[in-house]
């Protein structure tokens, strides 16, 4: 992100004893961040912004990942879809992992931000 001049804000407040495995957390974050980085790099440098927040509240792990975008995403059944061949698997992987953990995820657009919210 530094090399691509992306402003990255990160707020993480999680105990070491979270019940999400490293593998599952890596799957969620790597796919989400990869998608965010790819999208913000389509913007001029001054508009490149990614916000990540991971917090624990009431025994739940809350993950919020937001990024600016150039083109408003298209959603099918609540999932953003890509028109590029060979793309779009990251969001499916996130959804699969979250469902496997009996959690919920939601993809949306709020104003000028693409937003991924996860509750585990």
């Amino acid at each position: 992100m530094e090399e691509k001049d992306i402003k990255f804000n990160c707020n993480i407040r999680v105990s070491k004893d979270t019940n999400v495995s490293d593998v599952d957390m890596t799957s969620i974050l790597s796919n989400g961040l990869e998608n965010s980085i790819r999208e913000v790099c389509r913007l001029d440098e001054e508009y490149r912004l990614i916000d990540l927040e991971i917090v624990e509240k009431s025994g739940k792990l809350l993950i919020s990942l937001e990024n600016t975008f150039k083109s408003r995403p298209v959603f099918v059944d609540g999932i953003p879809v890509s028109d590029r061949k060979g793309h779009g698997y990251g969001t499916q992987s996130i959804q699969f992992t979250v469902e496997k953990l009996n959690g919920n995820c939601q993809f949306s657009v709020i104003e000028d931000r693409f937003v991924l919210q996860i509750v585990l």
Side-chain angles (χ1 to χ4, degrees), residues 21-116:
S21 75
D22 292 346
V23 171
D24 290 331
M25 184 62 77
T26 299
S27 175
I28 292 167
L29 292 178
S30 65
N31 282 296
L33 287 168
E34 181 180 344
N35 289 346
S36 294
I37 291 167
R38 185 181 309 113
E39 183 56 33
V40 299
C41 283
R42 298 176 62 210
L43 294 163
D44 292 335
E45 290 175 5
E46 66 214 56
Y47 301 107
R48 295 178 182 178
L49 174 65
I50 299 173
D51 290 329
L52 173 65
E53 182 174 43
I54 306 173
V55 296
E56 284 180 299
K57 289 187 179 176
S58 303
K60 300 284 185 182
L61 189 65
L62 310 175
I63 301 170
S64 176
L65 179 61
E66 299 184 13
N67 62 269
T68 50
F69 57 84
K70 183 168 185 159
S71 301
R72 188 176 185 90
V74 174
F75 293 86
V76 174
D77 296 327
I79 304 295
V81 294
S82 177
D83 59 356
R84 297 183 311 222
K85 189 173 183 173
H87 291 272
Y89 298 110
T91 54
Q92 292 174 4
S93 178
I94 292 167
Q95 184 179 31
F96 173 81
T97 302
V98 170
E99 287 177 356
K100 178 183 83 167
L101 298 170
N102 296 314
N104 295 302
C105 69
Q106 179 180 347
F107 301 91
S108 62
V109 171
I110 300 174
E111 296 178 9
D112 66 340
R113 305 275 186 102
F114 175 82
V115 179
L116 166 61

Side-chain angles (χ1 to χ4, degrees), residues 6-22:
I6 299 169
K7 183 177 179 186
F8 179 62
N9 300 311
C10 184
N11 178 26
I12 300 176
R13 295 184 319 258
V14 180
S15 69
K16 290 182 179 183
D17 299 327
T18 182
N19 58 354
V20 179
S21 75
D22 292 346

